[in-house]
Amino acid sequence: MATGNNPDRLLAIYNKHTILVHILFWLVYLLVITVLSATFYDKATFSEIFLQLSVSLWIDVAATYFTAYYLLPKFLLKKKYLLFSALMLLSVVGFVFIQRAVQIYISWPLFYPESTMEREFFDFNPAYSVVNIYAVVFIVTSARLFKYWFVNQNRAFELEKQKVEAELKYLKSQVHPHFLFNTLNNLYALTLDKSELAPAVVLRLSDLLSYMLYDANERTVPLQKEIALIDNYIELETLRRGGELNIDYQKDVDQPIIPVAPLLFIPFIENSFKHGVWNDAGQPEISVKLIIKDYHLYFEVSNSIGPDPEGENVARGEGIGLKNVQRRLEILYPENHNLTIEERNGKYIVILELELLTDEDEGKVFIG
């Protein structure tokens, strides 16, 4: 998953230069309201209006920080809605009266000393004062709410990401011993028979273990390594079964280095040998097809079905390996895969289709 996007970078800059950002914000705000006031009020110069607004700016600042940095986190975000509403109402009334007091006792005597007009304290439009103060409060509080939402979303995403990564590691760790256990069983059978094939099997097994210990721990591997794993495993099983096994193995790959999640195909092939081929007392058959054209992967494995000692068909795909790979497909390729497992015409068939991505788009699918 891509990190370091624009919102993250902006948040990092803000956290590093918080005080500077706030000072710049209030300077820009003061300039904006001065320009707007000068546009509609022509009885004072720009500098005079700037000075008058500077005197009362601290009221806007106090109302903003009280609302966004105290009432919001202490009450609203903690779902103390009644207390938040009451304190919000009281603060609005308080700041409106403070602004009125500043106008009568500071601004007018300071900037209009020649005026002899009588001014009543309560002779003003409170709605105008509320809008005058709380327009900026609304903007800053909304930004603050968005920041809380964004940070919480990132935190939730990171937690989910860590959970998924832990699950993937657990699933993969189960595949390794499961696969090794089955392969060692094959080798054990050969040693019991004192077969001359045992050394060749050990050599193939070492190649498989090397892949699982090193390459399979990567997030993705080039497809050609997965193909080499399939080749080694089929060769390993062919050595054991010899001429009794009828296998059809087809490959047509136009992009062998395209990245793919490791250990996606071998559990299906292993299942075919374990539950299909080795339970067929006759001439067992297995077919493996791997085709990739224009980033579309088609994988099919089928095998003849042999009855178990009770006469029931086996190879229903309920083993640890298949369950794990099904879950990994759901996590790694949630919208980019189609898996079909069925019995048809005396055969057990698995078909997997994947839409593979380019290196640039890989992060859109693979977790981590």
Side-chain angles (χ1 to χ4, degrees):
M1 192 63 64
T3 59
N5 51 39
N6 288 335
D8 286 329
R9 285 198 293 268
L10 290 174
L11 187 59
I13 293 172
Y14 171 80
N15 290 333
K16 186 177 180 180
H17 306 285
T18 303
I19 296 177
L20 179 61
V21 171
H22 282 231
I23 292 173
L24 290 175
F25 171 80
W26 288 113
L27 287 175
V28 171
Y29 170 73
L30 181 58
L31 288 174
V32 169
I33 60 175
T34 301
V35 170
L36 292 176
S37 299
T39 303
F40 298 100
Y41 186 72
D42 57 1
K43 295 181 180 180
T45 65
F46 182 89
S47 58
E48 289 174 337
I49 295 175
F50 181 83
L51 289 174
Q52 290 181 46
L53 293 175
S54 298
V55 169
S56 61
L57 179 66
W58 68 270
I59 301 172
D60 296 351
V61 174
T64 298
Y65 286 116
F66 181 76
T67 304
Y69 288 82
Y70 180 72
L71 294 183
L72 178 66
K74 292 290 184 178
F75 301 101
L76 183 61
L77 295 180
K78 292 183 179 179
K79 299 182 180 180
K80 299 177 180 179
Y81 302 124
L82 185 60
L83 194 54
F84 170 80
S85 300
L87 291 175
M88 185 69 190
L89 180 61
L90 288 175
S91 66
V92 170
V93 173
F95 284 116
V96 166
F97 281 129
I98 290 173
Q99 185 190 64
R100 182 60 176 171
V102 169
Q103 289 174 345
I104 292 179
Y105 301 115
I106 298 178
S107 295
W108 283 332
L110 182 63
F111 296 103
Y112 305 99
E114 71 283 355
S115 177
T116 58
M117 183 185 301
E118 285 287 337
R119 295 180 177 87
E120 293 292 335
F121 188 90
F122 294 98
D123 185 18
F124 71 101
N125 185 347
Y128 173 80
S129 296
V130 170
V131 173
N132 182 265
I133 297 173
Y134 279 87
V136 67
V137 174
F138 175 78
I139 293 172
V140 174
T141 304
S142 298
R144 189 78 172 161
L145 277 171
F146 177 78
K147 180 187 174 184
Y148 278 117
W149 173 84
F150 180 77
V151 170
N152 287 333
Q153 285 291 104
N154 269 5
R155 186 179 293 116
F157 173 78
E158 287 299 322
L159 290 174
E160 181 65 22
K161 177 182 174 182
Q162 292 172 12
K163 177 184 175 182
V164 170
E165 287 177 341
E167 183 179 1
L168 283 173
K169 289 178 181 178
Y170 172 72
L171 292 173
K172 198 183 293 183
S173 69
Q174 281 190 312
V175 171
H176 290 191
H178 177 263
F179 179 83
L180 177 60
F181 175 78
N182 291 334
T183 307
L184 287 176
N185 273 345
N186 291 345
L187 179 59
Y188 176 69
L190 292 176
T191 56
L192 285 180
D193 295 336
K194 295 182 172 56
S195 171
E196 296 179 357
L197 298 176
V201 172
V202 171
L203 183 62
R204 291 291 180 183
L205 180 58
S206 68
D207 292 337
L208 295 176
L209 289 178
S210 176
Y211 178 81
M212 290 189 169
L213 289 174
Y214 302 106
D215 298 291
N217 287 324
E218 299 295 326
R219 185 181 63 176
T220 63
V221 296
L223 180 63
Q224 59 192 10
K225 290 191 175 184
E226 279 289 287
I227 294 175
L229 178 66
I230 295 173
D231 295 344
N232 277 333
Y233 184 80
I234 291 178
E235 180 64 24
L236 186 66
E237 294 290 359
T238 302
L239 285 172
R240 182 184 172 192
R241 189 80 179 203
E244 300 177 6
L245 178 62
N246 182 10
I247 185 166
D248 179 24
Y249 182 25
Q250 301 177 32
K251 293 179 289 187
D252 186 4
V253 178
D254 63 354
Q255 293 170 317
I257 63 172
I258 192 170
V260 66
L263 302 176
L264 283 184
F265 312 110
I266 205 68
F268 297 115
I269 298 176
E270 180 192 16
N271 189 72
S272 293
F273 278 96
K274 180 181 178 182
H275 297 295
V277 170
W278 299 114
N279 287 285
D280 192 340
Q283 183 75 18
E285 298 180 358
I286 186 170
S287 173
V288 179
K289 295 179 182 178
L290 182 61
I291 302 171
I292 295 183
K293 296 291 184 183
D294 298 325
Y295 298 100
H296 179 81
L297 182 147
Y298 178 87
F299 172 74
E300 177 184 322
V301 56
S302 64
N303 60 268
S304 55
I305 301 176
D308 66 9
E310 284 74 32
E312 298 292 335
N313 286 333
V314 294
R316 296 295 190 274
E318 298 298 328
I320 292 175
L322 288 192
K323 286 183 178 179
N324 281 356
V325 75
Q326 286 174 312
R327 178 57 182 152
R328 290 177 66 216
L329 285 168
E330 292 172 2
I331 295 174
L332 296 172
Y333 299 92
E335 305 293 336
N336 297 74
H337 83 280
N338 183 47
L339 178 64
T340 303
I341 302 176
E342 62 180 0
E343 290 182 22
R344 186 182 348 124
N345 300 326
K347 290 187 177 182
Y348 181 72
I349 302 172
V350 174
I351 298 175
L352 172 63
E353 295 184 79
L354 286 178
E355 293 298 329
L356 299 174
L357 301 181
T358 62
D359 291 336
E360 292 78 9
D361 294 332
E362 178 203 332
K364 298 178 182 177
V365 173
F366 290 104
I367 303 297

